[in-house]
Amino acid sequence: MDSGNGHQEPFRTRSFSRESSLASSLSLSRSLPLFISTNDVDDSESVSEAGDIGDRSLRRRHSIGRSNRLFSSEDLLEQGVTDDTSRQEHDLSVVKPLPEHMTTSPLPTKSLLSPETNKPVKKEGPVLPKSLEYISCLIHLAVFGILGAITRYLLQKLFGPSVARVTSDGSILYLDLPSNMVGSFLMGWFGVVFKADITRVSEFLAIGLSTGYLGSLTTFSGWNQKMLDLSADGKWLYAVLGFLLGLFLASYSIILGVETAKGFRWLLQRRASSSSKERNSCLLEVNTFKSHIVSMTLMVLLLVALLAVSATQLVKEFDKGTSEAQLWLGCLVAAPGVWLRWFLARLNGRGLGKDGQYLRWVPFGTVIANVAAASAMAALATLKKSVDTTTCNTVASGIQFGLLGCLSTVSTLMAEFNAMRESDYPWRAYAYASFTIAVSFAIGTVIYSVPVWAVGFN
């Protein structure tokens, strides 16, 4: 679909430009600047970074702020380029400039350039110190992570047996299926198509929405545990169908999100192109030190309010052992899960080996987060069956819902899956998803299903 900016299309084919990812936690680029060759290594790195790159985005920004070069030395090292070979692999050479009298044109060339070219280019650099940027990221991740967990709980209740009766624990339509579909759909909007636009307003808002809210709204560990419950009851066919159906619906949810968001963007650009208003500036941009401090203060107040409400409600509901008690306990422990997943995301695109030359297309950070959360959730499920008390069930279920539910993610997995599926090697998408599911289910079977079969828990 035509986006209305024909001269920018070569740089935005099926993704954002690589330059916009330097200031965001999601590196969604699949195209590189023209002076860098797009080889297999670059494509492998971009698809593995399509979901999240964690705090590496902050390091990249500060590297840019310390240098006038487009790519810092750290970025070149991340692409597997050493100082001795960077010129040869990237075709970059230092050429002595010609004298000014030989380069000055007698024609008024400035009038020949487009309005965008005539405008001075604003160099992007860090506004806040690095420590404050980390603190701001952690605060945004905590707030949006708690909100994502609350939304997941509400969707469970809305589509669960008590209201709509669409999902249940004993069927392939597991309780977290609606939240995984909604989160994947919204990832297509705010984590893919409109990611760069949100980053221009506030990069911390972009990180909070994609990594914090959408990553916590969806959960891989809960999905895996429901399939383990089915297999432990002898419903192996249901477990297999549950994985296949869950993967199918989540993958097509993000595709639908991307396509609808592209259509909406096209409508916005068509409407804007018909008017004479200038659209290059945004009044809502948080790009000064003062605006960052104000935004951070508001987020701190919101975080304190959420934690205070969660703690107050937990005290009231804890002895009852209700699902509300599990929710409020989950809200209190949700932030560490989001933070750990964000820090693990720095491993995405790194690959294996001394220079990361092996399996660079595998997002190891997301794999570790999902497998670890699924394994820990299986262990807590075994603990609940062995102890079988109200207090143990409340505490374990709260940790499962909050900490482990926010540590694992389906929206990021689907963003990476979709990027791999659209790459030159679409088989990688299915290999990546199959590996994550198979390893998590196998470990969960050993930790949870085997003790259930051996001891004979109900």
Side-chain angles (χ1 to χ4, degrees), residues 184-227:
S184 299
F185 175 83
L186 294 178
M187 187 61 139
W189 275 70
F190 305 115
V192 178
V193 177
F194 289 102
K195 178 67 179 182
D197 302 277
I198 300 175
T199 301
R200 281 194 292 269
V201 176
S202 172
E203 56 197 302
F204 303 114
L205 177 62
I207 294 174
L209 278 175
S210 57
T211 305
Y213 182 74
L214 298 179
S216 301
L217 171 60
T218 60
T219 173
F220 176 81
S221 57
W223 175 20
N224 184 76
Q225 186 58 42
K226 296 306 178 184
M227 299 304 105

mmCIF file of all heavy atoms in Angstrom, residues 184-227:
data_model
loop_
_atom_site.group_PDB
_atom_site.id
_atom_site.type_symbol
_atom_site.label_atom_id
_atom_site.label_comp_id
_atom_site.label_asym_id
_atom_site.label_seq_id
_atom_site.Cartn_x
_atom_site.Cartn_y
_atom_site.Cartn_z
ATOM 1 N N SER A 184 -0.316 -9.315 20.427
ATOM 2 C CA SER A 184 0.377 -9.454 19.141
ATOM 3 C C SER A 184 -0.187 -8.484 18.111
ATOM 4 O O SER A 184 0.555 -7.898 17.303
ATOM 5 C CB SER A 184 0.261 -10.892 18.635
ATOM 6 O OG SER A 184 0.855 -11.794 19.543
ATOM 7 N N PHE A 185 -1.512 -8.308 18.131
ATOM 8 C CA PHE A 185 -2.134 -7.349 17.209
ATOM 9 C C PHE A 185 -1.634 -5.926 17.481
ATOM 10 O O PHE A 185 -1.260 -5.196 16.552
ATOM 11 C CB PHE A 185 -3.653 -7.413 17.355
ATOM 12 C CG PHE A 185 -4.393 -6.392 16.539
ATOM 13 C CD1 PHE A 185 -4.673 -6.618 15.209
ATOM 14 C CD2 PHE A 185 -4.813 -5.197 17.108
ATOM 15 C CE1 PHE A 185 -5.355 -5.666 14.446
ATOM 16 C CE2 PHE A 185 -5.482 -4.241 16.368
ATOM 17 C CZ PHE A 185 -5.760 -4.478 15.033
ATOM 18 N N LEU A 186 -1.626 -5.537 18.757
ATOM 19 C CA LEU A 186 -1.162 -4.200 19.104
ATOM 20 C C LEU A 186 0.330 -4.032 18.852
ATOM 21 O O LEU A 186 0.792 -2.920 18.602
ATOM 22 C CB LEU A 186 -1.482 -3.905 20.567
ATOM 23 C CG LEU A 186 -2.975 -3.818 20.926
ATOM 24 C CD1 LEU A 186 -3.158 -3.563 22.409
ATOM 25 C CD2 LEU A 186 -3.673 -2.732 20.107
ATOM 26 N N MET A 187 1.079 -5.129 18.910
ATOM 27 C CA MET A 187 2.501 -5.061 18.587
ATOM 28 C C MET A 187 2.697 -4.651 17.137
ATOM 29 O O MET A 187 3.646 -3.918 16.808
ATOM 30 C CB MET A 187 3.161 -6.415 18.844
ATOM 31 C CG MET A 187 4.670 -6.401 18.706
ATOM 32 S SD MET A 187 5.466 -5.290 19.872
ATOM 33 C CE MET A 187 6.879 -6.242 20.365
ATOM 34 N N GLY A 188 1.822 -5.113 16.254
ATOM 35 C CA GLY A 188 1.890 -4.687 14.865
ATOM 36 C C GLY A 188 1.673 -3.201 14.707
ATOM 37 O O GLY A 188 2.248 -2.567 13.811
ATOM 38 N N TRP A 189 0.864 -2.617 15.576
ATOM 39 C CA TRP A 189 0.606 -1.180 15.533
ATOM 40 C C TRP A 189 1.739 -0.379 16.175
ATOM 41 O O TRP A 189 2.400 0.413 15.516
ATOM 42 C CB TRP A 189 -0.721 -0.870 16.245
ATOM 43 C CG TRP A 189 -1.918 -1.025 15.373
ATOM 44 C CD1 TRP A 189 -2.441 -2.189 14.885
ATOM 45 C CD2 TRP A 189 -2.746 0.028 14.862
ATOM 46 N NE1 TRP A 189 -3.540 -1.933 14.116
ATOM 47 C CE2 TRP A 189 -3.762 -0.581 14.086
ATOM 48 C CE3 TRP A 189 -2.756 1.405 14.994
ATOM 49 C CZ2 TRP A 189 -4.748 0.158 13.441
ATOM 50 C CZ3 TRP A 189 -3.740 2.149 14.355
ATOM 51 C CH2 TRP A 189 -4.712 1.520 13.588
ATOM 52 N N PHE A 190 1.934 -0.593 17.480
ATOM 53 C CA PHE A 190 2.814 0.273 18.257
ATOM 54 C C PHE A 190 4.241 -0.237 18.348
ATOM 55 O O PHE A 190 5.122 0.532 18.741
ATOM 56 C CB PHE A 190 2.246 0.441 19.673
ATOM 57 C CG PHE A 190 0.826 0.936 19.679
ATOM 58 C CD1 PHE A 190 -0.198 0.136 20.169
ATOM 59 C CD2 PHE A 190 0.499 2.183 19.176
ATOM 60 C CE1 PHE A 190 -1.510 0.583 20.171
ATOM 61 C CE2 PHE A 190 -0.804 2.635 19.173
ATOM 62 C CZ PHE A 190 -1.818 1.831 19.671
ATOM 63 N N GLY A 191 4.468 -1.498 17.979
ATOM 64 C CA GLY A 191 5.815 -2.030 18.022
ATOM 65 C C GLY A 191 6.458 -2.192 16.671
ATOM 66 O O GLY A 191 7.651 -2.500 16.590
ATOM 67 N N VAL A 192 5.680 -1.981 15.590
ATOM 68 C CA VAL A 192 6.226 -2.128 14.245
ATOM 69 C C VAL A 192 5.974 -0.874 13.417
ATOM 70 O O VAL A 192 6.894 -0.117 13.113
ATOM 71 C CB VAL A 192 5.642 -3.379 13.544
ATOM 72 C CG1 VAL A 192 6.182 -3.493 12.122
ATOM 73 C CG2 VAL A 192 5.962 -4.641 14.328
ATOM 74 N N VAL A 193 4.722 -0.618 13.064
ATOM 75 C CA VAL A 193 4.415 0.448 12.109
ATOM 76 C C VAL A 193 4.608 1.836 12.721
ATOM 77 O O VAL A 193 5.246 2.708 12.121
ATOM 78 C CB VAL A 193 2.975 0.278 11.590
ATOM 79 C CG1 VAL A 193 2.611 1.420 10.637
ATOM 80 C CG2 VAL A 193 2.827 -1.062 10.880
ATOM 81 N N PHE A 194 4.074 2.061 13.913
ATOM 82 C CA PHE A 194 4.134 3.390 14.528
ATOM 83 C C PHE A 194 5.243 3.503 15.563
ATOM 84 O O PHE A 194 5.249 4.440 16.369
ATOM 85 C CB PHE A 194 2.792 3.730 15.176
ATOM 86 C CG PHE A 194 1.695 4.002 14.185
ATOM 87 C CD1 PHE A 194 0.735 3.036 13.918
ATOM 88 C CD2 PHE A 194 1.624 5.199 13.504
ATOM 89 C CE1 PHE A 194 -0.273 3.260 13.002
ATOM 90 C CE2 PHE A 194 0.622 5.443 12.586
ATOM 91 C CZ PHE A 194 -0.334 4.475 12.325
ATOM 92 N N LYS A 195 6.176 2.562 15.571
ATOM 93 C CA LYS A 195 7.253 2.592 16.556
ATOM 94 C C LYS A 195 8.103 3.841 16.428
ATOM 95 O O LYS A 195 8.421 4.504 17.430
ATOM 96 C CB LYS A 195 8.119 1.342 16.393
ATOM 97 C CG LYS A 195 9.303 1.276 17.333
ATOM 98 C CD LYS A 195 8.848 1.123 18.756
ATOM 99 C CE LYS A 195 10.037 1.030 19.701
ATOM 100 N NZ LYS A 195 9.620 0.826 21.092
ATOM 101 N N ALA A 196 8.496 4.198 15.210
ATOM 102 C CA ALA A 196 9.348 5.370 15.013
ATOM 103 C C ALA A 196 8.616 6.648 15.392
ATOM 104 O O ALA A 196 9.225 7.585 15.927
ATOM 105 C CB ALA A 196 9.815 5.437 13.558
ATOM 106 N N ASP A 197 7.318 6.724 15.120
ATOM 107 C CA ASP A 197 6.548 7.921 15.468
ATOM 108 C C ASP A 197 6.458 8.084 16.979
ATOM 109 O O ASP A 197 6.563 9.208 17.490
ATOM 110 C CB ASP A 197 5.144 7.825 14.874
ATOM 111 C CG ASP A 197 5.166 7.658 13.363
ATOM 112 O OD1 ASP A 197 5.277 8.685 12.663
ATOM 113 O OD2 ASP A 197 5.093 6.516 12.890
ATOM 114 N N ILE A 198 6.242 6.987 17.690
ATOM 115 C CA ILE A 198 6.194 7.058 19.155
ATOM 116 C C ILE A 198 7.560 7.409 19.713
ATOM 117 O O ILE A 198 7.669 8.170 20.686
ATOM 118 C CB ILE A 198 5.697 5.718 19.729
ATOM 119 C CG1 ILE A 198 4.303 5.401 19.210
ATOM 120 C CG2 ILE A 198 5.679 5.754 21.257
ATOM 121 C CD1 ILE A 198 3.785 4.038 19.620
ATOM 122 N N THR A 199 8.616 6.901 19.102
ATOM 123 C CA THR A 199 9.967 7.215 19.555
ATOM 124 C C THR A 199 10.274 8.692 19.410
ATOM 125 O O THR A 199 10.971 9.274 20.239
ATOM 126 C CB THR A 199 10.990 6.377 18.765
ATOM 127 O OG1 THR A 199 10.712 4.987 18.966
ATOM 128 C CG2 THR A 199 12.403 6.672 19.217
ATOM 129 N N ARG A 200 9.755 9.330 18.351
ATOM 130 C CA ARG A 200 9.975 10.763 18.188
ATOM 131 C C ARG A 200 9.309 11.559 19.292
ATOM 132 O O ARG A 200 9.787 12.630 19.657
ATOM 133 C CB ARG A 200 9.465 11.217 16.817
ATOM 134 C CG ARG A 200 10.411 10.906 15.672
ATOM 135 C CD ARG A 200 10.036 11.674 14.414
ATOM 136 N NE ARG A 200 8.777 11.189 13.870
ATOM 137 C CZ ARG A 200 8.678 10.220 12.966
ATOM 138 N NH1 ARG A 200 9.775 9.614 12.544
ATOM 139 N NH2 ARG A 200 7.510 9.837 12.505
ATOM 140 N N VAL A 201 8.207 11.068 19.822
ATOM 141 C CA VAL A 201 7.559 11.733 20.949
ATOM 142 C C VAL A 201 8.363 11.487 22.217
ATOM 143 O O VAL A 201 8.732 12.412 22.930
ATOM 144 C CB VAL A 201 6.113 11.230 21.113
ATOM 145 C CG1 VAL A 201 5.471 11.841 22.353
ATOM 146 C CG2 VAL A 201 5.297 11.568 19.879
ATOM 147 N N SER A 202 8.623 10.232 22.523
ATOM 148 C CA SER A 202 9.419 9.863 23.693
ATOM 149 C C SER A 202 9.923 8.442 23.503
ATOM 150 O O SER A 202 9.121 7.511 23.357
ATOM 151 C CB SER A 202 8.589 9.965 24.979
ATOM 152 O OG SER A 202 9.292 9.429 26.080
ATOM 153 N N GLU A 203 11.224 8.285 23.507
ATOM 154 C CA GLU A 203 11.786 6.944 23.355
ATOM 155 C C GLU A 203 11.466 6.063 24.557
ATOM 156 O O GLU A 203 11.323 4.843 24.428
ATOM 157 C CB GLU A 203 13.293 7.028 23.165
ATOM 158 C CG GLU A 203 13.999 7.774 24.272
ATOM 159 C CD GLU A 203 15.387 8.194 23.869
ATOM 160 O OE1 GLU A 203 16.177 7.308 23.522
ATOM 161 O OE2 GLU A 203 15.674 9.400 23.901
ATOM 162 N N PHE A 204 11.331 6.674 25.728
ATOM 163 C CA PHE A 204 10.976 5.898 26.915
ATOM 164 C C PHE A 204 9.529 5.424 26.842
ATOM 165 O O PHE A 204 9.203 4.342 27.327
ATOM 166 C CB PHE A 204 11.202 6.736 28.169
ATOM 167 C CG PHE A 204 12.603 7.247 28.305
ATOM 168 C CD1 PHE A 204 12.877 8.606 28.244
ATOM 169 C CD2 PHE A 204 13.661 6.376 28.482
ATOM 170 C CE1 PHE A 204 14.166 9.078 28.359
ATOM 171 C CE2 PHE A 204 14.956 6.826 28.593
ATOM 172 C CZ PHE A 204 15.217 8.186 28.536
ATOM 173 N N LEU A 205 8.670 6.227 26.248
ATOM 174 C CA LEU A 205 7.298 5.793 26.028
ATOM 175 C C LEU A 205 7.244 4.620 25.062
ATOM 176 O O LEU A 205 6.471 3.675 25.258
ATOM 177 C CB LEU A 205 6.459 6.960 25.486
ATOM 178 C CG LEU A 205 5.006 6.653 25.127
ATOM 179 C CD1 LEU A 205 4.228 6.192 26.355
ATOM 180 C CD2 LEU A 205 4.346 7.870 24.485
ATOM 181 N N ALA A 206 8.080 4.659 24.029
ATOM 182 C CA ALA A 206 8.120 3.557 23.069
ATOM 183 C C ALA A 206 8.600 2.269 23.738
ATOM 184 O O ALA A 206 8.049 1.193 23.503
ATOM 185 C CB ALA A 206 9.043 3.921 21.897
ATOM 186 N N ILE A 207 9.616 2.375 24.589
ATOM 187 C CA ILE A 207 10.106 1.204 25.311
ATOM 188 C C ILE A 207 9.041 0.699 26.267
ATOM 189 O O ILE A 207 8.810 -0.509 26.393
ATOM 190 C CB ILE A 207 11.400 1.548 26.066
ATOM 191 C CG1 ILE A 207 12.521 1.862 25.074
ATOM 192 C CG2 ILE A 207 11.810 0.412 26.989
ATOM 193 C CD1 ILE A 207 13.792 2.345 25.723
ATOM 194 N N GLY A 208 8.375 1.621 26.970
ATOM 195 C CA GLY A 208 7.346 1.214 27.907
ATOM 196 C C GLY A 208 6.176 0.516 27.234
ATOM 197 O O GLY A 208 5.658 -0.485 27.748
ATOM 198 N N LEU A 209 5.752 1.022 26.075
ATOM 199 C CA LEU A 209 4.623 0.416 25.375
ATOM 200 C C LEU A 209 4.958 -0.966 24.823
ATOM 201 O O LEU A 209 4.210 -1.924 25.030
ATOM 202 C CB LEU A 209 4.160 1.334 24.243
ATOM 203 C CG LEU A 209 3.239 2.492 24.609
ATOM 204 C CD1 LEU A 209 2.988 3.367 23.390
ATOM 205 C CD2 LEU A 209 1.917 1.974 25.159
ATOM 206 N N SER A 210 6.073 -1.066 24.109
ATOM 207 C CA SER A 210 6.392 -2.325 23.424
ATOM 208 C C SER A 210 6.937 -3.370 24.395
ATOM 209 O O SER A 210 6.389 -4.466 24.523
ATOM 210 C CB SER A 210 7.394 -2.066 22.302
ATOM 211 O OG SER A 210 8.568 -1.445 22.818
ATOM 212 N N THR A 211 8.003 -3.036 25.092
ATOM 213 C CA THR A 211 8.621 -4.004 26.000
ATOM 214 C C THR A 211 7.828 -4.159 27.284
ATOM 215 O O THR A 211 7.636 -5.273 27.781
ATOM 216 C CB THR A 211 10.059 -3.580 26.321
ATOM 217 O OG1 THR A 211 10.797 -3.406 25.108
ATOM 218 C CG2 THR A 211 10.750 -4.616 27.183
ATOM 219 N N GLY A 212 7.357 -3.040 27.849
ATOM 220 C CA GLY A 212 6.661 -3.096 29.122
ATOM 221 C C GLY A 212 5.228 -3.579 29.014
ATOM 222 O O GLY A 212 4.873 -4.642 29.537
ATOM 223 N N TYR A 213 4.392 -2.817 28.315
ATOM 224 C CA TYR A 213 2.964 -3.123 28.289
ATOM 225 C C TYR A 213 2.651 -4.356 27.439
ATOM 226 O O TYR A 213 2.037 -5.317 27.918
ATOM 227 C CB TYR A 213 2.187 -1.922 27.757
ATOM 228 C CG TYR A 213 0.694 -2.148 27.735
ATOM 229 C CD1 TYR A 213 -0.048 -2.130 28.905
ATOM 230 C CD2 TYR A 213 0.025 -2.386 26.541
ATOM 231 C CE1 TYR A 213 -1.417 -2.346 28.896
ATOM 232 C CE2 TYR A 213 -1.334 -2.607 26.514
ATOM 233 C CZ TYR A 213 -2.049 -2.577 27.692
ATOM 234 O OH TYR A 213 -3.403 -2.804 27.671
ATOM 235 N N LEU A 214 3.057 -4.335 26.169
ATOM 236 C CA LEU A 214 2.718 -5.445 25.281
ATOM 237 C C LEU A 214 3.460 -6.720 25.664
ATOM 238 O O LEU A 214 2.917 -7.823 25.535
ATOM 239 C CB LEU A 214 3.033 -5.061 23.832
ATOM 240 C CG LEU A 214 2.244 -3.868 23.294
ATOM 241 C CD1 LEU A 214 2.651 -3.563 21.858
ATOM 242 C CD2 LEU A 214 0.744 -4.122 23.383
ATOM 243 N N GLY A 215 4.698 -6.596 26.143
ATOM 244 C CA GLY A 215 5.424 -7.774 26.584
ATOM 245 C C GLY A 215 4.804 -8.421 27.806
ATOM 246 O O GLY A 215 4.854 -9.643 27.971
ATOM 247 N N SER A 216 4.194 -7.614 28.692
ATOM 248 C CA SER A 216 3.547 -8.149 29.890
ATOM 249 C C SER A 216 2.094 -8.525 29.645
ATOM 250 O O SER A 216 1.551 -9.365 30.374
ATOM 251 C CB SER A 216 3.630 -7.117 31.018
ATOM 252 O OG SER A 216 4.971 -6.793 31.322
ATOM 253 N N LEU A 217 1.472 -7.904 28.676
ATOM 254 C CA LEU A 217 0.111 -8.294 28.312
ATOM 255 C C LEU A 217 0.080 -9.722 27.792
ATOM 256 O O LEU A 217 -0.855 -10.481 28.053
ATOM 257 C CB LEU A 217 -0.440 -7.321 27.266
ATOM 258 C CG LEU A 217 -1.771 -7.676 26.604
ATOM 259 C CD1 LEU A 217 -2.888 -7.787 27.636
ATOM 260 C CD2 LEU A 217 -2.127 -6.642 25.540
ATOM 261 N N THR A 218 1.104 -10.109 27.060
ATOM 262 C CA THR A 218 1.207 -11.477 26.530
ATOM 263 C C THR A 218 2.118 -12.294 27.436
ATOM 264 O O THR A 218 2.996 -11.752 28.115
ATOM 265 C CB THR A 218 1.777 -11.462 25.108
ATOM 266 O OG1 THR A 218 3.088 -10.865 25.132
ATOM 267 C CG2 THR A 218 0.877 -10.661 24.183
ATOM 268 N N THR A 219 1.932 -13.589 27.443
ATOM 269 C CA THR A 219 2.762 -14.457 28.270
ATOM 270 C C THR A 219 2.963 -15.802 27.587
ATOM 271 O O THR A 219 1.993 -16.442 27.163
ATOM 272 C CB THR A 219 2.129 -14.663 29.657
ATOM 273 O OG1 THR A 219 2.870 -15.654 30.386
ATOM 274 C CG2 THR A 219 0.675 -15.114 29.562
ATOM 275 N N PHE A 220 4.210 -16.189 27.475
ATOM 276 C CA PHE A 220 4.528 -17.501 26.917
ATOM 277 C C PHE A 220 4.489 -18.576 27.993
ATOM 278 O O PHE A 220 4.069 -19.711 27.738
ATOM 279 C CB PHE A 220 5.905 -17.469 26.252
ATOM 280 C CG PHE A 220 6.353 -18.808 25.728
ATOM 281 C CD1 PHE A 220 5.905 -19.274 24.506
ATOM 282 C CD2 PHE A 220 7.212 -19.613 26.466
ATOM 283 C CE1 PHE A 220 6.301 -20.513 24.029
ATOM 284 C CE2 PHE A 220 7.617 -20.848 25.996
ATOM 285 C CZ PHE A 220 7.162 -21.298 24.776
ATOM 286 N N SER A 221 4.930 -18.239 29.202
ATOM 287 C CA SER A 221 4.986 -19.230 30.275
ATOM 288 C C SER A 221 3.597 -19.720 30.661
ATOM 289 O O SER A 221 3.401 -20.914 30.926
ATOM 290 C CB SER A 221 5.693 -18.639 31.496
ATOM 291 O OG SER A 221 5.044 -17.459 31.939
ATOM 292 N N GLY A 222 2.605 -18.816 30.686
ATOM 293 C CA GLY A 222 1.245 -19.240 30.981
ATOM 294 C C GLY A 222 0.681 -20.151 29.915
ATOM 295 O O GLY A 222 -0.022 -21.129 30.215
ATOM 296 N N TRP A 223 0.987 -19.845 28.666
ATOM 297 C CA TRP A 223 0.568 -20.687 27.536
ATOM 298 C C TRP A 223 1.184 -22.080 27.658
ATOM 299 O O TRP A 223 0.492 -23.106 27.531
ATOM 300 C CB TRP A 223 0.989 -19.990 26.242
ATOM 301 C CG TRP A 223 0.750 -20.742 24.978
ATOM 302 C CD1 TRP A 223 -0.114 -21.783 24.782
ATOM 303 C CD2 TRP A 223 1.385 -20.511 23.714
ATOM 304 N NE1 TRP A 223 -0.061 -22.215 23.478
ATOM 305 C CE2 TRP A 223 0.851 -21.445 22.804
ATOM 306 C CE3 TRP A 223 2.335 -19.591 23.267
ATOM 307 C CZ2 TRP A 223 1.257 -21.491 21.473
ATOM 308 C CZ3 TRP A 223 2.731 -19.634 21.942
ATOM 309 C CH2 TRP A 223 2.196 -20.576 21.055
ATOM 310 N N ASN A 224 2.473 -22.140 27.925
ATOM 311 C CA ASN A 224 3.155 -23.421 28.049
ATOM 312 C C ASN A 224 2.614 -24.236 29.225
ATOM 313 O O ASN A 224 2.443 -25.463 29.124
ATOM 314 C CB ASN A 224 4.657 -23.184 28.214
ATOM 315 C CG ASN A 224 5.462 -24.467 28.265
ATOM 316 O OD1 ASN A 224 5.701 -25.108 27.251
ATOM 317 N ND2 ASN A 224 5.891 -24.848 29.465
ATOM 318 N N GLN A 225 2.321 -23.566 30.340
ATOM 319 C CA GLN A 225 1.843 -24.286 31.513
ATOM 320 C C GLN A 225 0.460 -24.888 31.286
ATOM 321 O O GLN A 225 0.182 -26.001 31.756
ATOM 322 C CB GLN A 225 1.815 -23.341 32.720
ATOM 323 C CG GLN A 225 1.460 -24.020 34.031
ATOM 324 C CD GLN A 225 2.407 -25.157 34.376
ATOM 325 O OE1 GLN A 225 3.629 -25.033 34.211
ATOM 326 N NE2 GLN A 225 1.858 -26.260 34.852
ATOM 327 N N LYS A 226 -0.413 -24.193 30.574
ATOM 328 C CA LYS A 226 -1.734 -24.755 30.281
ATOM 329 C C LYS A 226 -1.630 -25.997 29.405
ATOM 330 O O LYS A 226 -2.403 -26.949 29.566
ATOM 331 C CB LYS A 226 -2.608 -23.700 29.584
ATOM 332 C CG LYS A 226 -2.912 -22.490 30.454
ATOM 333 C CD LYS A 226 -3.515 -22.889 31.783
ATOM 334 C CE LYS A 226 -3.770 -21.671 32.661
ATOM 335 N NZ LYS A 226 -4.283 -22.054 34.009
ATOM 336 N N MET A 227 -0.676 -26.011 28.488
ATOM 337 C CA MET A 227 -0.482 -27.202 27.670
ATOM 338 C C MET A 227 0.127 -28.337 28.489
ATOM 339 O O MET A 227 -0.166 -29.515 28.251
ATOM 340 C CB MET A 227 0.421 -26.875 26.478
ATOM 341 C CG MET A 227 -0.141 -25.795 25.545
ATOM 342 S SD MET A 227 -1.794 -26.167 24.901
ATOM 343 C CE MET A 227 -2.814 -25.044 25.873
#
